[in-house]
């Protein structure tokens, strides 16, 4: 008697708790049983000698989005999520980006239409706040949070999108009241602007000086400032793209104090350094991102922080710009570093790079790989238990990996619309060869088998990571602040 739509037979199934050889049964797009010698199914996939892993959750992706500088990035939802799927990622969280003068409600409605037309993976949105008007803070943001958009993005730098300290606190207070996580690009704006202007005025304009214009202390200062805002309001935060050893140490101290701080890093900070920007002419623009890659010592500190749990997630920060006049060279072939779009493609390379380092080369474990790339982001951003794990009741978002397959990265080997690979020339061992989204095969035999628009929006409830600790700062406790009610 046929009991299931699909059974994946005999693979080594990995969770955060361990690795076991078993079958995975799927019915109506959901995992319904785990075990050995499961009954017959309409379809069977032989996964013997393969790894059966949860589809990746990439919680930091810029897709079909206008930058703060007014430049549209290279990827549509179709091209970006296609690339994600080929890299073993089945859920992405991108940015519904409000610019000054925009209605946040309209931004989300328009962005959702783009995703519904193009996405082949499932997706959710961060609400990017650049214009915290009364309408945004009192109407649109609360309504959107309550409808299931449970994470907010703020910038502490860049002229056209940054928020002042008081505005950051306003946004955090709305998030606290309605149950959302506040995520931040945290760098000190004044330091970056002052350093960049000083460099350019002295003729230091090549891409390699981009890194110098973002001094490491600007990350540390902004982290400390936002952490103290979090402490004051008892509002959970996520610090994006940690790049320095000192930044990771600041997060460790804050978590030790009981402040609810989460943090991610990205492959560019684990595998690239500032030296990658030191190329002839303007070629180094391909490796420009913010914050910039740092040093080998920072890489080691970040790996250690991931292993200790100080950092909980590795996201791509996929920010795709072509190396032509539509992207990196929009200001011409002789532009200074201030005029060059920041960002790297990374949706497709994130998981293979990390698998090679953590599993194939033995830097960590398969269980930790699953945690950092799927389970932890799903839990933190409110996608769990449907996403990020192979478990009964979860969506059948599954990547079947060949742990022995070796792939050499090339500039023309990805499935996005960027045209180059910042990791070209590297070889990795371990590759997702077959990818399922809600039980449907979307990548197999090197081909995409999903139609544009077949991905689904994932609305989220308030997760444990989004809830205050309950430890009020004395200034907000009526028992000690002379009876003032400020929350």
């Amino acid at each position: 008697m046929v009991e299931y739509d699909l059974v994946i037979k005999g693979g080594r199934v990995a969770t955060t708790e361990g690795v076991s050889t078993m079958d995975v049964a799927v019915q109506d797009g959901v995992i319904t049983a785990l075990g050995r010698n499961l009954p017959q199914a309409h379809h069977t996939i032989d996964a013997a000698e393969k790894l059966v892993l949860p589809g990746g959750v990439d919680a930091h992706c810029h897709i079909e989005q206008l930058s703060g500088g007014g430049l549209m990035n290279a990827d549509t939802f179709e091209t970006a999520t296609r690339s994600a799927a080929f890299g073993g990622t089945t859920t992405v969280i991108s940015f519904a980006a409000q610019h000054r003068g925009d209605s946040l409600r309209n931004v989300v409605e328009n962005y959702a239409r783009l995703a519904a037309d193009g996405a082949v993976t499932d997706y959710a949105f961060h609400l990017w706040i650049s214009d915290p008007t009364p309408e945004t803070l009192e109407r649109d943001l609360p309504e959107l949070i309550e409808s299931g958009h449970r994470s907010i993005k703020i910038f502490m730098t860049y002229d056209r999108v940054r928020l002042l300290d008081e505005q950051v606190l306003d946004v955090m207070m709305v998030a606290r009241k309605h149950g959302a996580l506040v995520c931040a690009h945290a760098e000190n704006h004044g330091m970056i602007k002052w350093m960049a202007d000083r460099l350019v005025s002295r003729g230091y304009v090549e891409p390699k000086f981009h890194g110098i214009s973002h001094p490491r202390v600007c990350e540390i200062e902004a982290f400390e400032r936002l952490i103290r805002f979090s402490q004051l309001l008892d509002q959970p935060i996520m610090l994006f793209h940690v790049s320095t050893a000192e930044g990771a140490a600041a997060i460790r101290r804050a978590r030790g104090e009981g402040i609810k701080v989460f943090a991610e890093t990205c492959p560019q900070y684990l595998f690239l350094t500032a030296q990658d920007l030191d190329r002839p002419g303007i070629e180094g623009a391909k490796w420009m991102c913010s914050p910039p890659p740092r040093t080998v010592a920072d890489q080691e500190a970040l790996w250690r922080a991931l292993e200790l749990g100080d950092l909980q997630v590795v996201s791509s920060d996929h920010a795709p710009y072509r190396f032509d006049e539509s992207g990196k060279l929009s200001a011409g072939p002789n532009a200074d570093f201030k005029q060059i779009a920041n960002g790297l493609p990374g949706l497709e390379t994130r998981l293979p790079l990390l698998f090679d380092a953590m599993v194939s080369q033995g830097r960590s474990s398969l269980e930790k790989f699953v945690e950092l790339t799927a389970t932890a982001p799903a839990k933190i951003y409110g996608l769990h238990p449907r996403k990020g794990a192979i478990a009964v009741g979860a969506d059948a978002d599954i990547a079947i990996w060949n742990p022995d397959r070796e792939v050499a990265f090339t500039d023309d080997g990805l499935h996005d619309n960027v045209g180059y690979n910042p990791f070209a020339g590297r070889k990795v061992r371990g590759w997702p060869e077959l990818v399922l989204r809600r039980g449907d095969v979307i990548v197999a035999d090197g081909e995409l088998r999903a139609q544009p628009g077949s991905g689904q929006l994932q609305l989220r409830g308030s997760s444990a990571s989004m809830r205050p600790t309950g430890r009020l700062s004395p200034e907000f406790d009526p028992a000690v602040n002379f009876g003032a009610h400020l929350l």
Side-chain angles (χ1 to χ4, degrees):
M1 177 178 170
V2 175
E3 295 191 18
Y4 305 114
D5 293 334
L6 170 70
V7 171
I8 301 169
K9 301 283 290 186
R12 293 175 59 218
V13 176
T15 69
T16 57
E17 285 77 39
V19 183
S20 301
T21 300
M22 67 176 74
D23 303 340
V24 181
V26 178
Q27 184 71 28
D28 297 326
V30 174
I31 297 170
T32 54
L34 299 170
R36 299 194 178 193
N37 302 314
L38 292 180
Q40 188 177 357
H42 289 288
H43 301 284
T44 301
I45 295 172
D46 182 2
E49 300 185 9
K50 302 291 177 65
L51 295 173
V52 179
L53 309 183
V57 176
D58 196 335
H60 189 161
C61 315
H62 300 270
I63 299 173
E64 206 158 342
Q65 177 212 302
L66 199 67
S67 74
L71 190 66
M72 179 60 70
N73 64 32
D75 271 324
T76 63
F77 268 97
E78 180 178 351
T79 61
T81 58
R82 176 181 69 198
S83 184
F86 274 98
T89 289
T90 52
T91 304
V92 300
I93 309 181
S94 61
F95 298 92
Q98 179 200 42
H99 296 283
R100 289 176 186 170
D102 288 346
S103 158
L104 182 62
R105 178 186 293 176
N106 291 344
V107 165
V108 173
E109 289 175 355
N110 293 335
Y111 197 58
R113 281 193 287 269
L114 295 175
D117 287 344
V120 300
T121 67
D122 288 347
Y123 55 90
F125 304 145
H126 301 296
L127 304 173
W128 170 336
I129 308 298
S130 296
D131 195 7
T133 61
E135 179 183 57
T136 296
L137 294 176
E138 297 169 14
R139 188 195 71 182
D140 291 357
L141 185 54
E143 290 180 359
L144 288 164
I145 293 171
E146 296 289 352
S147 73
H149 300 289
R150 294 280 177 175
S151 47
I152 300 167
K153 169 71 175 292
I154 62 166
F155 279 85
M156 298 174 75
T157 187
Y158 303 131
D159 286 322
R160 298 184 186 181
V161 296
R162 74 183 180 106
L163 301 186
L164 302 177
D165 286 355
E166 300 92 327
Q167 294 173 316
V168 172
L169 290 166
D170 284 340
V171 171
M172 291 176 73
M173 188 62 86
V174 176
R176 188 186 195 280
K177 181 177 180 180
H178 294 278
L181 183 66
V182 174
C183 311
H185 180 130
E187 294 184 281
N188 181 288
H189 177 76
M191 289 186 193
I192 294 170
K193 189 175 188 305
W194 188 86
M195 285 290 287
D197 289 347
R198 194 168 182 83
L199 285 160
V200 171
S201 71
R202 286 162 170 73
Y204 302 115
V205 297
E206 293 86 354
K208 62 186 176 184
F209 292 108
H210 165 72
I212 306 302
S213 75
H214 287 246
R216 58 194 304 120
V217 293
C218 81
E219 174 173 282
I220 304 159
E221 187 280 331
F223 281 9
E224 292 282 10
R225 183 158 33 110
L226 194 65
I227 285 166
R228 297 310 158 191
F229 291 177
S230 173
Q231 182 181 30
L232 174 66
L233 299 185
D234 188 22
Q235 165 58 36
I237 58 171
M238 164 66 74
L239 290 167
F240 276 162
H241 42 53
V242 180
S243 71
T244 63
E246 298 94 332
I251 293 160
R252 182 174 179 79
R253 288 192 300 272
R255 288 172 64 85
E257 294 176 33
I259 302 170
K260 205 162 184 178
V261 181
F262 302 94
E264 65 161 36
T265 192
C266 311
Q268 46 268 44
Y269 309 113
L270 299 171
F271 299 103
L272 300 176
T273 72
Q275 299 306 310
D276 286 292
L277 280 72
D278 188 8
R279 310 275 177 147
I282 203 169
E283 187 182 359
K286 294 178 181 178
W287 289 268
M288 283 179 57
C289 58
S290 293
R294 305 293 184 176
T295 69
V296 171
D298 290 301
Q299 291 177 351
E300 291 303 315
L302 295 174
W303 280 115
R304 187 165 57 252
L306 288 167
E307 203 64 33
L308 291 170
D310 304 331
L311 312 182
Q312 299 79 39
V313 175
V314 181
S315 304
S316 69
D317 192 5
H318 179 78
Y321 297 98
R322 296 181 64 83
F323 189 63
D324 60 24
E325 65 279 358
S326 73
K328 294 280 188 179
L329 307 183
S330 61
N334 299 310
D336 65 56
F337 68 83
K338 289 178 63 177
Q339 300 170 303
I340 297 171
N342 286 198
L344 308 177
L347 269 168
E348 193 166 344
T349 54
R350 177 184 70 121
L351 294 182
L353 283 167
L354 289 167
F355 186 96
D356 178 68
M358 298 178 70
V359 182
S360 300
Q361 297 184 37
R363 180 181 277 274
S364 186
S365 66
L366 184 57
E367 294 90 336
K368 191 70 173 179
F369 170 80
V370 168
E371 177 186 334
L372 293 174
T373 63
T375 307
K379 287 182 176 180
I380 290 169
Y381 289 103
L383 293 162
H384 187 78
R386 301 289 295 186
K387 303 294 185 184
I390 295 180
V392 172
D395 287 348
D397 296 345
I398 296 169
I400 300 177
W401 286 67
N402 180 344
D404 299 316
R405 180 174 171 183
E406 295 187 349
V407 172
F409 285 141
T410 61
D411 277 325
D412 59 357
L414 301 180
H415 296 83
D416 55 28
N417 191 39
V418 182
Y420 77 95
N421 181 345
F423 302 100
R426 290 177 181 260
K427 291 183 179 180
V428 296
R429 183 159 60 92
W431 198 262
E433 294 185 329
L434 192 147
V435 180
L436 297 90
R437 180 216 59 215
R438 285 178 277 108
D440 293 329
V441 174
I442 60 172
V443 171
D445 302 319
E447 296 181 353
L448 182 69
R449 299 189 178 181
Q451 293 300 312
S454 58
Q456 292 182 358
L457 174 63
Q458 303 296 304
L459 297 174
R460 298 164 281 152
S462 182
S463 67
S465 61
M466 302 167 186
R467 298 172 197 142
T469 66
R471 292 186 293 273
L472 286 175
S473 297
E475 294 81 5
F476 286 90
D477 186 351
V480 295
N481 73 0
F482 307 107
H485 293 272
L486 300 175
L487 292 177

